[in-house]
């Protein structure tokens, strides 16, 4: 009997220790790919930000860049040649050194494969060079003041040449260079991160992170309340967020965010190739109902693609004016007898269960004109991405989380010809492209701001996108989980989470 008691006590202590060594996270989001050359959605990128590292990263909790794989760098007098001096103790989880040859392989591979985020490099990078084993050089096509910021995003992360093929995308488990490595990945079920023993930096505060994927916000909340998970991150229903704030065993975190939501209009697809109907849609949209009814105040209306609070922002889109919308539709040949019939697409789970409500509010706000008739359509995320990349959808909801904290990241990916293709608007305007390149060349914020004002004014005139709202970052967790930071960069760092009784 005593042996059984001792065995029970030992087992209890062991399980208690193990529980503190593992934190379980729940999400309704999805992983699309873990190949930096083709990864351009939030959750996939965020996993890579915990298992890989780049030349630079942001200081935790700030928007200040710091060296990581680069110990230092130099920029020549033309502003186009960047020379990076690499640390010599970095390697992938299999022991492969991360040197200048690896960086050249990785950058060149991104540009060759031309995946979703490739334009972030290929639009500006002229060539890459190996100066020596630990000196890597990048020559740009023109000066770009925010180039180092771009290098903090996953598209610029080095990949292991032994794992990632040079001539095709890779769909398996990544070769880690960061705090964690992927121990297990069952798509749409769970992914397990464990401490990477070959990481050169500080070890994660928790050895193992398990991320479980849930169908919807209600099952995510239930998992948190029943103790199945310790952290609920993306996407609790806004009303659940407010409700959970009243519980003593759960802590709700909220933070300002540069995440934005918007409508994309494929400007090459009839009838959306008529600028008057795009302008009419911009006048008809009802942001206030979305913010107050769907998000119960956990968002704010947005009238430009550059988020409020970021330098360069200017409100350029109109407030709601139904009569103006009807007048523009009449000019385009539509009225009550000849209605403007359109499909509005959304994806039901990627952005949370509120998405269907948002789509319904938009439908109602457009149909209040008495001229627009809206058919709602939806597709799951992987299919949705294919549809907007190949031009199937003409009018659809999308969201944006920053690749790098600079106004350039809210105009170039949307309005450059290459970027617009990756987001499904297929917009092209040489005047805007030239203005954005001019802004990239300046380091003076006043000059850049003046140019971004012009760019946003043209955006509101041409309407390839309609900004809707700016979000609030939220997360809910058991009170024993510490280290949760909702950063301005939107990087959720699993490696700083820990359990404290």
């Amino acid at each position: 009997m005593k042996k059984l008691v001792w065995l029970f006590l030992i087992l209890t202590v062991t399980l208690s220790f193990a529980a503190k060594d593992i934190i379980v996270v729940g999400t309704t989001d999805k992983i699309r790919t873990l190949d930096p050359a083709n990864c351009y959605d939030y959750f996939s990128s965020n996993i890579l930000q915990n298992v890989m590292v780049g030349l630079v990263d942001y200081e935790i909790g700030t928007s200040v860049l710091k060296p990581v794989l680069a110990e230092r760098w130099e920029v020549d007098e033309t502003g186009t040649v960047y020379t990076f001096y690499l640390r010599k103790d970095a390697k992938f989880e299999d022991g492969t050194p991360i040197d200048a040859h690896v960086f050249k392989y990785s950058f060149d591979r991104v540009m060759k494969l031309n995946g979703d985020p490739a334009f972030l490099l290929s639009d500006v990078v002229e060539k890459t060079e190996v100066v020596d084993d630990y000196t890597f050089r990048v020559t740009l096509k023109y000066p770009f003041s925010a180039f180092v910021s771009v290098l903090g995003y996953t598209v610029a992360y080095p990949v292991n040449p032994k794992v990632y093929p040079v001539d095709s995308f890779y769909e398996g488990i990544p070769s880690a260079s960061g705090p964690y490595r992927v121990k297990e990945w069952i798509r749409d079920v769970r992914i397990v991160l464990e401490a990477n023993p070959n990481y050169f930096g500080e070890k994660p505060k928790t050895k193992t992170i398990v991320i479980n994927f849930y169908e919807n916000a209600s099952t995510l909340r239930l998992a948190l309340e029943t103790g199945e998970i310790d952290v609920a991150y993306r996407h609790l229903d806004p009303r659940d967020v407010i409700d959970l704030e009243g519980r003593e065993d759960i802590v709700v975190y909220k933070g300002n965010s540069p995440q934005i939501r918007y409508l994309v209009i494929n400007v090459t697809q009839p009838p959306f190739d008529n600028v008057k109907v795009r302008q009419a849609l911009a006048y008809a949209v009802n942001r206030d109902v979305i913010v107050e009814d769907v998000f119960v105040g956990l968002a704010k209306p947005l009238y430009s693609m550059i988020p409020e609070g970021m330098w360069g922002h200017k409100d350029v889109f109109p407030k709601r004016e139904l009569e103006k919308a009807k007048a523009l539709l009449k000019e385009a040949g539509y009225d009550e007898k000849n209605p403007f019939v359109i499909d509005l697409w959304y994806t039901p789970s990627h952005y949370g269960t509120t998405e269907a409500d948002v789509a319904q509010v938009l439908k109602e706000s457009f149909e209040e004109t008495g001229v627009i008739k809206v058919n709602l359509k939806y597709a799951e995320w992987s299919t949705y991405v294919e549809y907007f990349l190949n031009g199937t959808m003409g009018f659809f909801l999308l969201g944006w989380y920053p690749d790098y904290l600079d106004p350039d990241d809210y105009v170039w990916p949307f309005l450059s010809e290459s970027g617009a293709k990756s987001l499904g608007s297929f917009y092209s305007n040489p005047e805007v492209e030239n203005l954005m390149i001019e802004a990239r060349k300046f380091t003076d914020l006043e000059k850049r701001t003046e140019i971004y004002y012009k760019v946003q004014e043209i955006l509101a005139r041409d309407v390839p996108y309609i900004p809707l709202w700016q979000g609030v970052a939220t997360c809910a967790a058991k009170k024993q989980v510490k280290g949760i930071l909702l950063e301005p960069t939107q990087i959720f760092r699993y490696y700083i989470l820990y359990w404290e009784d």
Side-chain angles (χ1 to χ4, degrees):
M1 187 65 177
K2 288 183 178 179
K3 288 184 178 179
L4 287 174
V5 172
W6 276 109
L7 185 60
F8 175 78
L9 288 172
I10 291 170
L11 183 60
T12 301
V13 171
T14 302
L15 287 174
S16 175
F17 176 77
K20 291 182 174 64
D21 223 23
I22 298 175
I23 289 177
V24 183
V25 179
T27 185
T28 63
D29 214 332
K30 298 285 188 290
I31 296 173
R32 180 169 170 257
T33 177
L34 293 178
D35 185 341
N38 203 31
C39 174
Y40 208 35
D41 65 286
Y42 174 80
F43 203 76
S44 303
S45 298
N46 193 224
I47 294 296
L48 290 178
Q49 288 162 337
N50 283 273
V51 301
M52 287 183 165
V53 286
L55 289 164
V56 296
D57 190 13
Y58 291 94
E59 293 278 3
I60 293 175
T62 77
S63 56
V64 178
L65 287 166
K66 67 173 183 177
V68 181
L69 292 176
E71 292 184 327
R72 60 185 178 89
W73 58 88
E74 297 170 352
V75 187
D76 79 340
E77 64 278 1
T78 69
T80 61
V81 180
Y82 287 71
T83 304
F84 298 93
Y85 300 92
L86 309 177
R87 62 185 307 145
K88 298 178 181 178
D89 58 345
K91 52 190 174 182
F92 294 103
E93 61 178 285
D94 66 355
T96 301
I98 303 175
D99 58 17
H101 301 277
V102 166
F103 268 101
K104 178 172 175 57
Y105 177 91
S106 302
F107 276 47
D108 291 355
R109 176 177 177 270
V110 165
M111 294 186 286
K112 176 184 178 181
L113 295 181
N114 197 32
D116 289 355
F119 70 93
L120 293 172
L121 294 182
S122 59
D123 282 359
V124 69
V125 173
E126 179 69 40
K127 65 177 180 177
T128 64
E129 300 173 76
V130 174
V131 178
D132 59 45
D133 285 350
Y134 287 94
T135 309
F136 175 56
R137 182 169 292 154
V138 181
T139 301
L140 306 185
K141 297 173 184 177
Y142 52 80
F144 178 20
S145 57
F147 179 62
V148 173
S149 296
V150 175
L151 300 181
Y153 184 57
T154 56
V155 69
Y157 285 4
V159 298
N160 192 335
K162 296 177 182 177
V163 176
Y164 287 81
V166 69
D167 55 358
S168 64
F169 296 120
Y170 174 68
E171 296 304 327
I173 288 176
S175 180
S177 56
Y180 283 115
R181 63 183 180 186
V182 178
K183 181 180 180 181
E184 178 187 46
W185 178 24
I186 304 173
R187 188 177 288 274
D188 297 341
V189 177
R190 68 176 172 272
I191 187 168
V192 180
L193 311 180
E194 67 175 7
N196 177 10
N198 276 334
Y199 178 51
F200 59 84
E202 186 177 343
K203 301 304 178 188
K205 292 184 179 294
T206 298
K207 183 179 179 182
T208 303
I209 300 289
V210 178
I211 302 171
N212 292 333
F213 297 92
Y214 292 88
E215 285 294 321
N216 53 55
S218 60
T219 55
L220 179 62
R221 175 179 176 170
L222 182 63
L224 179 64
E225 291 182 312
T226 59
E228 186 176 305
I229 62 174
D230 304 311
V231 180
Y233 180 59
R234 295 175 56 91
H235 294 277
L236 287 167
D237 185 278
R239 287 174 174 79
D240 288 337
V241 171
I242 292 172
D243 192 33
L244 288 169
E245 285 184 303
R247 292 188 52 143
E248 292 184 359
D249 59 332
I250 290 173
V251 178
V252 171
Y253 298 83
K254 291 187 287 188
N256 293 329
S257 173
Q259 60 177 281
I260 65 171
R261 295 299 312 278
Y262 52 93
L263 285 161
V264 181
I265 306 177
N266 182 339
V267 300
T268 65
Q269 185 183 110
F272 303 109
D273 55 346
N274 185 334
V275 69
K276 291 188 184 299
V277 304
R278 302 199 301 269
Q279 291 171 347
L281 290 167
Y283 274 103
V285 70
N286 193 334
R287 295 171 177 84
D288 292 337
V289 174
I290 295 173
V291 167
E292 296 303 326
D293 290 2
V294 179
F295 289 98
V296 290
L298 292 177
K300 54 187 175 182
L302 183 64
Y303 294 92
S304 182
M305 296 301 284
I306 297 176
E308 188 177 322
M310 180 174 284
W311 65 269
H313 166 87
K314 181 181 182 182
D315 285 346
V316 289
F317 276 78
K319 297 289 179 71
R320 193 174 198 226
E321 194 175 335
L322 288 180
E323 291 306 314
K324 182 67 174 176
K326 290 167 71 173
L328 285 162
L329 288 167
K330 188 174 183 178
E331 289 180 35
Y334 299 100
D335 55 29
E336 288 84 350
K337 294 180 180 179
N338 179 36
F340 180 50
V341 182
I342 57 175
D343 294 334
L344 170 59
W345 287 81
Y346 69 97
T347 186
S349 59
H350 180 72
Y351 295 107
T353 48
T354 53
E355 201 72 352
D357 296 331
V358 169
Q360 184 61 38
V361 168
L362 287 169
K363 172 183 167 69
E364 292 170 1
S365 67
F366 292 135
E367 291 185 343
E368 278 185 57
T369 60
V371 180
I372 303 172
K373 302 295 182 185
V374 179
N375 301 312
L376 293 181
K377 295 190 175 183
Y378 65 87
E380 287 296 340
W381 182 241
S382 58
T383 304
Y384 198 74
V385 173
E386 290 177 15
Y387 280 180
F388 72 68
L389 288 176
N390 64 26
T392 298
M393 301 187 297
F395 191 42
F396 56 97
L397 281 158
L398 216 54
W400 188 257
Y401 298 82
D403 308 322
Y404 47 100
L405 284 178
D406 190 277
D408 180 83
D409 190 45
Y410 289 85
V411 293
W412 186 267
F414 295 90
L415 302 175
S416 67
E417 185 173 355
S418 53
K421 287 178 182 176
S422 77
L423 292 174
S425 76
F426 300 93
Y427 177 74
S428 178
N429 185 328
E431 178 190 3
V432 172
E433 193 113 359
N434 288 334
L435 281 170
M436 292 189 296
I437 289 173
E438 184 182 355
R440 285 182 153 196
K441 294 177 181 179
F442 287 116
T443 56
D444 184 281
L445 296 191
E446 286 189 14
K447 290 180 179 178
R448 292 185 70 196
T449 296
E450 183 181 339
I451 295 171
Y452 289 138
Y453 282 175
K454 292 179 183 177
V455 169
Q456 289 168 94
E457 287 162 3
I458 298 172
L459 163 69
R461 181 196 71 196
D462 291 352
V463 201
Y465 309 90
I466 301 174
L468 296 174
W469 75 91
Q470 187 169 337
V472 173
T474 63
C475 177
K478 292 179 182 178
K479 65 180 182 180
Q480 295 94 337
V481 178
K482 309 297 181 184
I484 292 175
L485 283 179
L486 300 178
E487 303 191 41
T489 60
Q490 302 301 285
I491 299 172
F492 194 82
R493 302 180 194 267
Y494 295 106
Y495 53 87
I496 64 174
L497 303 183
Y498 64 97
W499 184 279
E500 183 178 271
D501 286 320

